[in-house]
Amino acid sequence: MAGFGLTDCESELTLNMKVWVSQLLGFLEALNVGPSVLVGNSFGGALSLAATLRQPEAVLSLVLMGTPAGQFEQTSALSEGAAFEPSLEGMRAILERFPYDTSIVTESMVRERYEMSLRHSGRTALRALMPQSNEEGPRLVRGMPADKLATIDKPALLLHGREDSVIPMEVAVSAARNLPNSELHIFGECGHWVQLERPKAFVGLISEFLSRHGF
């Protein structure tokens, strides 16, 4: 994604969902892979939903993990991520908010993500993701609304950790109710990183789901 990781972008480019959706769809077109299964964690899931809404013929199916959707109060874990100032200690503190079992947060993971954060010290992309509000009271995260979700009829598998402190489990339950061709699996003693915390079950559920739908 432009503005994250090793992907730079022009300084005058205003980063927002439209830019990232165009980037994703352009990437798929450049690869010439045809209709694809999109697998997205957290904002990657929200991006997958937005891309499907914009160009449904480019998408076969969706796998969404810890994905924000609908409207909900910004969690403290999200707030702390938005306020991050680069340091190894600060990066560890943020990363330990993601999994249920913090032992999966290794020194190498902390250092790698800290060094990556230095590439984008202005955090322009991160700030573009966070809810903005001039009103008193809690900030609200506004994902894809229910009426838009209801128009997405692609097979969708939602995976979510019961102890997710970043995106509450109730968000996934609500999204599953509104996506007409969806199913939801909740993992107990699991946080925001289903793919890292339950890797075997993650792969098994996706494989079975895609096979069942003929992909």
Side-chain angles (χ1 to χ4, degrees):
M1 291 172 60
F4 290 95
L6 296 174
T7 306
D8 293 316
C9 60
E10 299 174 356
S11 58
E12 63 272 17
L13 180 65
T14 300
L15 295 173
N16 53 41
M17 181 65 89
K18 290 182 179 179
V19 168
W20 289 315
V21 167
S22 295
Q23 180 193 10
L24 173 58
L25 293 174
F27 177 70
L28 293 175
E29 182 179 357
L31 289 179
N32 195 29
V33 293
S36 304
V37 176
L38 301 183
V39 182
N41 177 223
S42 197
F43 182 72
L47 176 61
S48 299
L49 284 169
T52 305
L53 190 65
R54 175 166 160 182
Q55 195 169 314
E57 66 275 13
V59 179
L60 286 175
S61 180
L62 295 162
V63 179
L64 310 172
M65 305 94 71
T67 294
Q71 179 175 290
F72 60 97
E73 184 176 329
Q74 185 180 32
T75 60
S76 60
L78 276 176
S79 299
E80 290 167 14
F84 170 70
E85 293 292 342
S87 72
L88 286 169
E89 296 77 11
M91 181 58 75
R92 171 170 283 282
I94 287 173
L95 293 181
E96 287 184 346
R97 296 295 302 272
F98 284 74
Y100 174 77
D101 180 359
T102 60
S103 67
I104 73 169
V105 178
T106 63
E107 291 300 325
S108 61
M109 179 191 295
V110 172
R111 180 163 294 278
E112 179 181 4
R113 296 199 178 203
Y114 162 70
E115 292 175 352
M116 202 62 65
S117 73
L118 298 179
R119 290 180 54 90
H120 307 285
S121 57
R123 303 190 307 283
T124 303
L126 182 61
R127 289 200 303 270
L129 292 182
M130 294 298 134
Q132 305 297 319
S133 176
N134 295 320
E135 302 173 0
E136 295 183 0
R139 291 188 172 186
L140 297 177
V141 178
R142 293 180 173 88
M144 183 172 291
D147 61 332
K148 297 293 186 183
L149 290 173
T151 68
I152 297 176
D153 61 358
K154 306 293 181 181
L157 174 63
L158 282 69
L159 307 175
H160 213 98
R162 185 182 63 199
E163 284 75 33
D164 191 335
S165 64
V166 181
I167 307 296
M169 179 188 71
E170 291 74 19
V171 173
V173 174
S174 177
R177 286 195 178 110
N178 288 295
L179 286 164
N181 193 10
S182 69
E183 51 194 83
L184 170 64
H185 187 95
I186 300 292
F187 293 85
E189 297 188 344
C190 182
H192 193 57
W193 288 340
V194 167
Q195 70 276 22
L196 297 182
E197 299 178 73
R198 296 288 188 274
K200 291 184 179 179
F202 170 74
V203 172
L205 284 167
I206 292 177
S207 298
E208 190 277 332
F209 174 77
L210 296 179
S211 176
R212 180 158 34 90
H213 287 280
F215 303 139

